[in-house]
Amino acid sequence: MKDNMKPEYGNWVPTKLLALLYTITLAGIVLLYFSIVYHWAVLVIIMIALLLSISLFFSCYMTAFHHAFSFGGGGMMGKVHEYVAEHLPWDGRGRLLDVGCGAGALTIRCAKRFPGAHCTGIDYWGIKWDYSLGMCQHNAEAEQVAGRCTFKQGDANHLDFEDETFDAVVSNFVYHEVNDGRSKEELLRETLRVLKKGGSFALQDLFGQKSVYGDFQIMIDSLKRDAVSEIHYADSCREIPVPKWMQVPGMLTGVGIIYGKK
């Protein structure tokens, strides 16, 4: 494979975030230097040093996260995607949708895992992330599955597909990022809307975080009544497993997967 055809999947921790943290840390070092050289008030120096310590800690911590999730580093993201694919109860025949495909990594993994499937990935590709449509298309070509992968811009709140279009749907760590006034249950139901009756799903997100999903069991019970015929839940952090140092509030806590049949 030529160097220019190597896949580039980016990282769950955006380089823009790391650049911002490094910039803040560097500014803090410069400010601390001047505060000492020009004999600023001791309390001011202490406050600057404290803020610099916090900035330096987060810079190092997020750099470690970036390496751990890198496909060329710790490979954690690849393990996460494989976990989602393994939980999809599907024979691989037909059409699959990946909601929030990012750089296309999960879409492409599914295409390679299910050689009889055509896989579609949709994403909003906002400026917050280091992903794009062009990146997805490049990666599909590099992984030699471009003929069975389609990517398009879309909104998870309003999927541009008819009811019961797909035989399977997957999603990884996306729904908590979608904020458009609709409830999380409505968001999940929109994904299930485009899934055929009897089709398979495997959706992973922060389902265990009450601040995001409230009482998730109530939502599960609601989906059981009229949206799905079979649904299971698993604690992803225990099953992958995710290192304890990553499981801190606001990061990888409450991650779970729901999977089953419509």
Side-chain angles (χ1 to χ4, degrees):
M1 186 183 294
K2 296 181 180 180
D3 288 344
N4 65 350
M5 284 306 292
K6 289 182 179 179
E8 176 51 59
Y9 291 115
N11 199 286
W12 178 66
V13 179
T15 54
K16 296 174 185 176
L17 174 61
L18 293 182
L20 177 61
L21 289 172
Y22 296 155
T23 300
I24 293 173
T25 300
L26 180 60
I29 292 173
V30 173
L31 191 60
L32 181 62
Y33 171 79
F34 279 103
S35 69
I36 294 174
V37 170
Y38 290 98
H39 306 290
W40 293 4
V42 174
L43 183 58
V44 173
I45 294 176
I46 292 174
M47 289 299 297
I48 293 174
L50 178 61
L51 293 174
L52 174 58
S53 298
I54 294 173
S55 175
L56 182 60
F57 169 79
F58 276 106
S59 296
C60 294
Y61 186 75
M62 296 311 295
T63 297
F65 244 98
H66 187 274
H67 174 76
F69 275 85
S70 170
F71 283 87
M76 178 61 71
M77 187 55 76
K79 296 176 183 177
V80 170
H81 289 162
E82 184 62 23
Y83 177 78
V84 174
E86 286 176 348
H87 279 74
L88 183 66
W90 188 41
D91 62 11
R93 293 195 295 267
R95 300 179 63 189
L96 175 143
L97 175 67
D98 178 12
V99 180
C101 63
L106 178 56
T107 315
I108 292 168
R109 182 174 292 269
C110 288
K112 296 175 77 172
R113 185 182 183 89
F114 304 111
H118 186 93
C119 300
T120 298
I122 68 105
D123 202 290
Y124 191 72
W125 292 304
I127 60 174
K128 179 180 178 181
W129 304 103
D130 299 328
Y131 307 135
S132 67
L133 171 60
M135 182 182 288
C136 292
Q137 294 169 335
H138 166 83
N139 290 336
E141 290 180 8
E143 298 281 16
Q144 300 180 11
V145 292
R148 294 190 295 108
C149 288
T150 302
F151 299 97
K152 60 185 295 185
Q153 188 169 31
D155 182 354
N157 271 307
H158 307 283
L159 295 172
D160 189 22
F161 302 104
E162 298 293 330
D163 294 356
E164 301 191 12
T165 297
F166 296 94
D167 301 279
V169 292
V170 295
S171 183
N172 179 61
F173 224 55
V174 171
Y175 297 120
H176 68 281
E177 295 282 355
V178 181
N179 298 296
D180 194 28
R182 305 181 79 185
S183 70
K184 294 305 180 190
E185 181 175 345
E186 289 177 307
L187 183 57
L188 289 174
R189 285 178 178 273
E190 175 64 5
T191 291
L192 294 171
R193 177 186 66 79
V194 303
L195 180 63
K196 293 178 181 179
K197 189 67 176 177
S200 306
F201 62 90
L203 313 172
Q204 184 164 247
D205 200 35
L206 302 176
F207 295 128
Q209 288 196 12
K210 288 191 174 183
S211 60
V212 180
Y213 282 92
D215 190 333
F216 189 61
Q217 186 58 51
I218 293 178
M219 190 181 300
I220 290 289
D221 293 340
S222 176
L223 293 175
K224 283 181 178 179
R225 282 194 293 271
D226 60 4
V228 298
S229 62
E230 176 189 339
I231 187 168
H232 308 279
Y233 175 79
D235 185 331
S236 304
C237 289
R238 289 184 179 180
E239 295 194 353
I240 293 177
V242 175
K244 291 295 183 182
W245 67 269
M246 292 184 179
Q247 298 182 47
V248 297
M251 297 297 288
L252 292 179
T253 55
V255 181
I257 187 170
I258 56 173
Y259 58 98
K261 298 270 190 176
K262 182 174 177 180

PDB file of all heavy atoms in Angstrom, residues 1 3 22 33 40 73 80 96-97 103 110 121 129 131 160 193 198 260:
ATOM      1  N   MET A   1       0.837  -1.201   0.000  1.00  0.00           N
ATOM      2  CA  MET A   1       0.000   0.000   0.000  1.00  0.00           C
ATOM      3  C   MET A   1       0.876   1.257   0.000  1.00  0.00           C
ATOM      4  O   MET A   1       1.789   1.378   0.809  1.00  0.00           O
ATOM      5  CB  MET A   1      -0.896   0.001   1.248  1.00  0.00           C
ATOM      6  CG  MET A   1      -1.912   1.142   1.272  1.00  0.00           C
ATOM      7  SD  MET A   1      -2.867   1.129   2.829  1.00  0.00           S
ATOM      8  CE  MET A   1      -3.765  -0.402   2.658  1.00  0.00           C
ATOM      9  N   ASP A   3       2.181   5.050   0.680  1.00  0.00           N
ATOM     10  CA  ASP A   3       2.066   5.879   1.871  1.00  0.00           C
ATOM     11  C   ASP A   3       0.870   6.800   1.821  1.00  0.00           C
ATOM     12  O   ASP A   3       0.185   7.016   2.813  1.00  0.00           O
ATOM     13  CB  ASP A   3       3.352   6.701   2.070  1.00  0.00           C
ATOM     14  CG  ASP A   3       4.518   5.821   2.519  1.00  0.00           C
ATOM     15  OD1 ASP A   3       4.254   4.681   2.948  1.00  0.00           O
ATOM     16  OD2 ASP A   3       5.663   6.277   2.430  1.00  0.00           O
ATOM     17  N   TYR A  22      -1.797  22.932  25.042  1.00  0.00           N
ATOM     18  CA  TYR A  22      -0.368  23.256  24.991  1.00  0.00           C
ATOM     19  C   TYR A  22      -0.152  24.765  24.970  1.00  0.00           C
ATOM     20  O   TYR A  22       0.780  25.289  25.608  1.00  0.00           O
ATOM     21  CB  TYR A  22       0.273  22.641  23.742  1.00  0.00           C
ATOM     22  CG  TYR A  22       0.262  21.136  23.703  1.00  0.00           C
ATOM     23  CD1 TYR A  22       0.312  20.455  22.485  1.00  0.00           C
ATOM     24  CD2 TYR A  22       0.196  20.373  24.865  1.00  0.00           C
ATOM     25  CE1 TYR A  22       0.305  19.067  22.437  1.00  0.00           C
ATOM     26  CE2 TYR A  22       0.189  18.992  24.822  1.00  0.00           C
ATOM     27  CZ  TYR A  22       0.231  18.346  23.608  1.00  0.00           C
ATOM     28  OH  TYR A  22       0.222  16.979  23.546  1.00  0.00           O
ATOM     29  N   TYR A  33       7.131  32.965  34.594  1.00  0.00           N
ATOM     30  CA  TYR A  33       8.496  33.480  34.498  1.00  0.00           C
ATOM     31  C   TYR A  33       8.542  34.985  34.763  1.00  0.00           C
ATOM     32  O   TYR A  33       9.340  35.461  35.583  1.00  0.00           O
ATOM     33  CB  TYR A  33       9.059  33.172  33.114  1.00  0.00           C
ATOM     34  CG  TYR A  33      10.378  33.853  32.829  1.00  0.00           C
ATOM     35  CD1 TYR A  33      11.571  33.348  33.337  1.00  0.00           C
ATOM     36  CD2 TYR A  33      10.424  35.013  32.054  1.00  0.00           C
ATOM     37  CE1 TYR A  33      12.787  33.983  33.077  1.00  0.00           C
ATOM     38  CE2 TYR A  33      11.622  35.653  31.789  1.00  0.00           C
ATOM     39  CZ  TYR A  33      12.801  35.128  32.310  1.00  0.00           C
ATOM     40  OH  TYR A  33      13.996  35.768  32.064  1.00  0.00           O
ATOM     41  N   TRP A  40       6.252  40.033  41.221  1.00  0.00           N
ATOM     42  CA  TRP A  40       4.829  40.288  41.459  1.00  0.00           C
ATOM     43  C   TRP A  40       4.466  39.809  42.863  1.00  0.00           C
ATOM     44  O   TRP A  40       5.248  39.118  43.529  1.00  0.00           O
ATOM     45  CB  TRP A  40       3.974  39.557  40.423  1.00  0.00           C
ATOM     46  CG  TRP A  40       4.134  40.096  39.023  1.00  0.00           C
ATOM     47  CD1 TRP A  40       4.988  41.072  38.606  1.00  0.00           C
ATOM     48  CD2 TRP A  40       3.431  39.646  37.855  1.00  0.00           C
ATOM     49  NE1 TRP A  40       4.875  41.289  37.271  1.00  0.00           N
ATOM     50  CE2 TRP A  40       3.922  40.429  36.764  1.00  0.00           C
ATOM     51  CE3 TRP A  40       2.461  38.691  37.598  1.00  0.00           C
ATOM     52  CZ2 TRP A  40       3.456  40.270  35.462  1.00  0.00           C
ATOM     53  CZ3 TRP A  40       1.984  38.522  36.304  1.00  0.00           C
ATOM     54  CH2 TRP A  40       2.471  39.306  35.253  1.00  0.00           C
ATOM     55  N   GLY A  73      -1.167   4.015  17.979  1.00  0.00           N
ATOM     56  CA  GLY A  73      -0.580   4.015  19.316  1.00  0.00           C
ATOM     57  C   GLY A  73      -1.130   2.874  20.156  1.00  0.00           C
ATOM     58  O   GLY A  73      -0.859   1.709  19.920  1.00  0.00           O
ATOM     59  N   VAL A  80     -12.601  -0.672  20.692  1.00  0.00           N
ATOM     60  CA  VAL A  80     -13.970  -0.218  20.937  1.00  0.00           C
ATOM     61  C   VAL A  80     -14.857  -0.516  19.732  1.00  0.00           C
ATOM     62  O   VAL A  80     -15.974  -1.015  19.862  1.00  0.00           O
ATOM     63  CB  VAL A  80     -13.987   1.290  21.260  1.00  0.00           C
ATOM     64  CG1 VAL A  80     -15.409   1.821  21.276  1.00  0.00           C
ATOM     65  CG2 VAL A  80     -13.315   1.556  22.606  1.00  0.00           C
ATOM     66  N   LEU A  96     -26.152  -1.574   5.837  1.00  0.00           N
ATOM     67  CA  LEU A  96     -25.857  -1.161   7.216  1.00  0.00           C
ATOM     68  C   LEU A  96     -25.668   0.347   7.274  1.00  0.00           C
ATOM     69  O   LEU A  96     -25.072   0.933   6.368  1.00  0.00           O
ATOM     70  CB  LEU A  96     -24.601  -1.872   7.722  1.00  0.00           C
ATOM     71  CG  LEU A  96     -24.072  -1.457   9.109  1.00  0.00           C
ATOM     72  CD1 LEU A  96     -23.530  -2.680   9.853  1.00  0.00           C
ATOM     73  CD2 LEU A  96     -22.972  -0.389   9.010  1.00  0.00           C
ATOM     74  N   LEU A  97     -26.145   0.966   8.340  1.00  0.00           N
ATOM     75  CA  LEU A  97     -25.960   2.399   8.576  1.00  0.00           C
ATOM     76  C   LEU A  97     -25.133   2.615   9.835  1.00  0.00           C
ATOM     77  O   LEU A  97     -25.406   2.004  10.873  1.00  0.00           O
ATOM     78  CB  LEU A  97     -27.314   3.092   8.740  1.00  0.00           C
ATOM     79  CG  LEU A  97     -27.262   4.583   9.121  1.00  0.00           C
ATOM     80  CD1 LEU A  97     -26.666   5.412   7.994  1.00  0.00           C
ATOM     81  CD2 LEU A  97     -28.660   5.097   9.495  1.00  0.00           C
ATOM     82  N   ALA A 103     -14.507   9.543  11.023  1.00  0.00           N
ATOM     83  CA  ALA A 103     -13.572   9.325   9.924  1.00  0.00           C
ATOM     84  C   ALA A 103     -13.858   8.028   9.181  1.00  0.00           C
ATOM     85  O   ALA A 103     -13.069   7.602   8.335  1.00  0.00           O
ATOM     86  CB  ALA A 103     -12.137   9.319  10.445  1.00  0.00           C
ATOM     87  N   CYS A 110     -17.009  -2.536   9.735  1.00  0.00           N
ATOM     88  CA  CYS A 110     -18.186  -3.351   9.445  1.00  0.00           C
ATOM     89  C   CYS A 110     -18.155  -3.871   8.004  1.00  0.00           C
ATOM     90  O   CYS A 110     -18.540  -5.012   7.734  1.00  0.00           O
ATOM     91  CB  CYS A 110     -19.457  -2.545   9.695  1.00  0.00           C
ATOM     92  SG  CYS A 110     -19.809  -2.246  11.445  1.00  0.00           S
ATOM     93  N   GLY A 121     -22.194   5.526   5.996  1.00  0.00           N
ATOM     94  CA  GLY A 121     -21.855   6.310   7.180  1.00  0.00           C
ATOM     95  C   GLY A 121     -22.343   7.736   7.023  1.00  0.00           C
ATOM     96  O   GLY A 121     -22.165   8.348   5.971  1.00  0.00           O
ATOM     97  N   TRP A 129     -14.464  18.598  15.418  1.00  0.00           N
ATOM     98  CA  TRP A 129     -13.742  17.347  15.233  1.00  0.00           C
ATOM     99  C   TRP A 129     -12.802  17.401  14.026  1.00  0.00           C
ATOM    100  O   TRP A 129     -13.014  18.170  13.096  1.00  0.00           O
ATOM    101  CB  TRP A 129     -14.731  16.187  15.060  1.00  0.00           C
ATOM    102  CG  TRP A 129     -15.692  16.087  16.200  1.00  0.00           C
ATOM    103  CD1 TRP A 129     -16.992  16.487  16.219  1.00  0.00           C
ATOM    104  CD2 TRP A 129     -15.408  15.610  17.516  1.00  0.00           C
ATOM    105  NE1 TRP A 129     -17.544  16.271  17.460  1.00  0.00           N
ATOM    106  CE2 TRP A 129     -16.600  15.729  18.276  1.00  0.00           C
ATOM    107  CE3 TRP A 129     -14.268  15.065  18.118  1.00  0.00           C
ATOM    108  CZ2 TRP A 129     -16.686  15.336  19.605  1.00  0.00           C
ATOM    109  CZ3 TRP A 129     -14.345  14.671  19.445  1.00  0.00           C
ATOM    110  CH2 TRP A 129     -15.546  14.816  20.168  1.00  0.00           C
ATOM    111  N   TYR A 131     -12.500  15.420  11.565  1.00  0.00           N
ATOM    112  CA  TYR A 131     -13.015  14.444  10.613  1.00  0.00           C
ATOM    113  C   TYR A 131     -13.662  15.171   9.435  1.00  0.00           C
ATOM    114  O   TYR A 131     -14.064  16.327   9.546  1.00  0.00           O
ATOM    115  CB  TYR A 131     -14.046  13.524  11.256  1.00  0.00           C
ATOM    116  CG  TYR A 131     -13.599  12.828  12.523  1.00  0.00           C
ATOM    117  CD1 TYR A 131     -14.420  12.765  13.641  1.00  0.00           C
ATOM    118  CD2 TYR A 131     -12.352  12.206  12.593  1.00  0.00           C
ATOM    119  CE1 TYR A 131     -14.015  12.110  14.802  1.00  0.00           C
ATOM    120  CE2 TYR A 131     -11.943  11.553  13.740  1.00  0.00           C
ATOM    121  CZ  TYR A 131     -12.777  11.510  14.845  1.00  0.00           C
ATOM    122  OH  TYR A 131     -12.362  10.865  15.976  1.00  0.00           O
ATOM    123  N   ASP A 160     -31.934  11.335   6.780  1.00  0.00           N
ATOM    124  CA  ASP A 160     -32.488  11.529   5.434  1.00  0.00           C
ATOM    125  C   ASP A 160     -32.665  10.192   4.714  1.00  0.00           C
ATOM    126  O   ASP A 160     -32.101   9.960   3.637  1.00  0.00           O
ATOM    127  CB  ASP A 160     -31.565  12.458   4.640  1.00  0.00           C
ATOM    128  CG  ASP A 160     -32.168  12.887   3.316  1.00  0.00           C
ATOM    129  OD1 ASP A 160     -33.413  12.832   3.197  1.00  0.00           O
ATOM    130  OD2 ASP A 160     -31.407  13.276   2.411  1.00  0.00           O
ATOM    131  N   ARG A 193     -36.019   4.043  13.470  1.00  0.00           N
ATOM    132  CA  ARG A 193     -37.023   4.258  12.416  1.00  0.00           C
ATOM    133  C   ARG A 193     -36.539   3.759  11.070  1.00  0.00           C
ATOM    134  O   ARG A 193     -37.310   3.189  10.285  1.00  0.00           O
ATOM    135  CB  ARG A 193     -37.368   5.754  12.319  1.00  0.00           C
ATOM    136  CG  ARG A 193     -38.353   6.090  11.188  1.00  0.00           C
ATOM    137  CD  ARG A 193     -38.551   7.588  11.045  1.00  0.00           C
ATOM    138  NE  ARG A 193     -37.356   8.287  10.616  1.00  0.00           N
ATOM    139  CZ  ARG A 193     -36.918   8.330   9.365  1.00  0.00           C
ATOM    140  NH1 ARG A 193     -37.564   7.691   8.391  1.00  0.00           N
ATOM    141  NH2 ARG A 193     -35.810   9.004   9.045  1.00  0.00           N
ATOM    142  N   GLY A 198     -37.171  -6.514  12.261  1.00  0.00           N
ATOM    143  CA  GLY A 198     -36.326  -7.698  12.348  1.00  0.00           C
ATOM    144  C   GLY A 198     -34.858  -7.411  12.137  1.00  0.00           C
ATOM    145  O   GLY A 198     -34.010  -8.302  12.268  1.00  0.00           O
ATOM    146  N   GLY A 260     -29.581  -5.612  19.797  1.00  0.00           N
ATOM    147  CA  GLY A 260     -30.710  -6.524  19.666  1.00  0.00           C
ATOM    148  C   GLY A 260     -31.346  -6.462  18.299  1.00  0.00           C
ATOM    149  O   GLY A 260     -30.693  -6.187  17.295  1.00  0.00           O
TER     150      GLY A 260
END
